[in-house]
Amino acid sequence: MKPISLKIPATLLLLVALMLMPCRTSAQILGVNDQEEFTDSVKHELEFGPYFGLYKDNYFTVGTAINERPSRTNSDVKFQISLGIRLTNATLPWNTYVFLMYTQKTFWNVFENSMPMRDLNFNPGIGWSKPFFVKDRYLGKMTLLIEHESNGRDSIQSRSWNRISLSGSAMITDWMLVHAKFWIPIVDGMNNKDILNYAGIWQTGVQVSTFNKKFMWALTLVKRKGFNLNFNTILDFSWRVNEKANLCLFAQYYNGYGENLLDYNQFHSRLRAGIVFKPKFFSEF
C-alpha cells in the first residue's frame, strides 16, 4: 500500500489559530522575580527532585472515528502510561543528567465482544539531557535518546523498530514552547520495513497555555517519508478544572498514519476525550 499524501486541512489550521488567540490576551509575561523563582524551581527539580516521575502525558481517553458513524470497530479506548527515572542524583559534566524512560500506549476495543486489547505499544529507552539557563531564565533543553518500540507480538502481527533520536525544546515566551525531534531509524521488524513511510522521520510542534496553566493546547506534526506535505497531525487540549487537582480534562484529535504499530499503514482520523496527568513542568513529545 502506498501512503496517501495528506495535506493539513485549512479548517484545521484555522481552528488552531482561533484556539491560540485567547492565549495572547490572557497570558502575562512573568516578572523578573517570578522568572527567577521559576528557574530556581526547575533547577531544584532536576537536581533534587524525585528519581521516579512522569515523562510524557499520562492519559485515559475514549472516542471514535471522524466523519463515520460510530460503531464497535471504529470506537475504542486509548490510554498511555509514561514514566522517567533519573539514574543519578549527582550533576554530570556540562550540567547534564541521564535517565531511563518507558512509555506504553494501549488501544482497547471495549465496545467489541470480550473487550480485546487490540494493540499494545512498548517504548523503553535511555536518554542524556542538557537543560539551558541564561541570566536566570530557563531557555529549553536538548536530549539524545536511544529508543526501542514494539508491540510484543510474534508471527505476522509482530512490529518493531529502533531509533537514535535528538530532540530539543525552547521556551519562546512564558506561555509558548516549541519542540522538534529527529531520528536515525534502525528498522529490524520484518513485517514493517516501510514504517518510515507512515510513522515518519521527524516531528515538530508547539505548546501554548494560559498564564495560570488552566488551559493548554498542543499541536504536533510528524513528517512522513517523502518530499510532499504528508504529515500526521496530533492536536491536544487540556483543561485544569481546579488548581488543586492533579488531573485535567483532556481531548485529542489524531489524523494520519502510525497511531499504533499493528495498523501503522492504515489511515485514522479519530477524536477522543478523557483525563490526563501531566508532568510537573514540561511534557515530552
Side-chain angles (χ1 to χ4, degrees):
M1 178 187 295
K2 294 183 178 180
I4 300 173
S5 176
L6 180 65
K7 295 185 178 181
I8 305 170
T11 53
L12 177 58
L13 294 177
L14 179 60
L15 176 62
V16 174
L18 290 175
M19 289 195 302
L20 299 185
M21 286 176 62
C23 295
R24 290 186 175 272
T25 58
S26 60
Q28 303 175 20
I29 302 301
L30 294 178
V32 175
N33 292 336
D34 292 332
Q35 183 57 245
E36 290 179 356
E37 184 177 329
F38 173 76
T39 300
D40 289 341
S41 297
V42 173
K43 289 181 177 179
H44 186 275
E45 184 73 14
L46 292 175
E47 295 178 9
F48 306 107
Y51 301 130
F52 191 85
L54 303 185
Y55 182 64
K56 297 182 180 181
D57 287 349
N58 286 247
Y59 56 78
F60 187 94
T61 61
V62 60
T64 190
I66 300 295
N67 297 327
E68 294 182 27
R69 183 176 179 179
S71 66
R72 293 181 178 181
T73 57
N74 66 11
S75 304
D76 64 2
V77 162
K78 175 185 177 182
F79 63 89
Q80 177 171 282
I81 299 170
S82 184
L83 303 170
I85 306 172
R86 273 193 309 125
L87 296 183
T88 174
N89 63 346
T91 302
L92 300 179
W94 307 294
N95 293 320
T96 60
Y97 63 95
V98 177
F99 63 93
L100 296 176
M101 51 77 68
Y102 174 78
T103 300
Q104 179 176 313
K105 188 165 51 177
T106 302
F107 296 83
W108 187 9
N109 289 3
V110 297
F111 302 105
E112 295 185 5
N113 294 332
S114 78
M115 298 189 296
M117 297 282 188
R118 174 159 178 75
D119 199 30
L120 284 79
N121 298 167
F122 307 97
N123 178 208
I126 184 170
W128 180 47
S129 192
K130 163 65 177 174
F132 294 94
F133 301 91
V134 176
K135 295 182 179 180
D136 294 320
R137 180 179 177 86
Y138 174 77
L139 296 183
K141 67 178 180 178
M142 296 288 291
T143 301
L144 180 65
L145 276 170
I146 300 176
E147 302 179 77
H148 170 76
E149 188 174 22
S150 66
N151 64 350
R153 299 198 180 193
D154 56 11
S155 188
I156 61 173
Q157 292 186 327
S158 174
R159 309 280 189 270
S160 68
W161 66 322
N162 307 283
R163 298 186 293 182
I164 301 174
S165 306
L166 179 65
S167 67
S169 61
M171 295 287 296
I172 302 302
T173 71
D174 302 313
W175 49 269
M176 176 182 289
L177 179 143
V178 297
H179 59 89
K181 185 176 183 180
F182 304 86
W183 50 83
I184 300 173
I186 304 171
V187 182
D188 57 352
M190 297 302 297
N191 301 311
N192 53 269
K193 289 295 186 181
D194 60 346
I195 193 170
L196 301 183
N197 295 336
Y198 303 93
I201 53 177
W202 57 267
Q203 69 181 42
T204 187
V206 59
Q207 178 177 281
V208 297
S209 68
T210 54
F211 172 70
N212 58 5
K213 305 298 182 181
K214 186 173 184 178
F215 299 100
M216 187 173 294
W217 297 265
L219 174 66
T220 302
L221 301 175
V222 183
K223 178 64 176 70
R224 302 198 298 272
K225 189 176 181 180
F227 294 101
N228 50 354
L229 296 178
N230 51 356
F231 290 91
N232 300 327
T233 305
I234 309 166
L235 182 62
D236 294 339
F237 168 73
S238 60
W239 173 24
R240 188 179 299 278
V241 180
N242 190 300
E243 292 183 1
K244 297 182 179 180
N246 291 324
L247 60 85
C248 303
L249 298 181
F250 180 67
Q252 183 184 79
Y253 170 67
Y254 192 99
N255 187 83
Y257 296 87
E259 186 179 22
N260 64 74
L261 286 179
L262 182 63
D263 301 329
Y264 73 93
N265 57 2
Q266 296 183 23
F267 176 81
H268 294 288
S269 182
R270 294 193 174 179
L271 178 65
R272 301 179 178 93
I275 58 174
V276 62
F277 296 87
K278 288 184 168 291
K280 184 175 182 179
F281 288 106
F282 312 106
S283 299
E284 301 293 336
F285 296 91

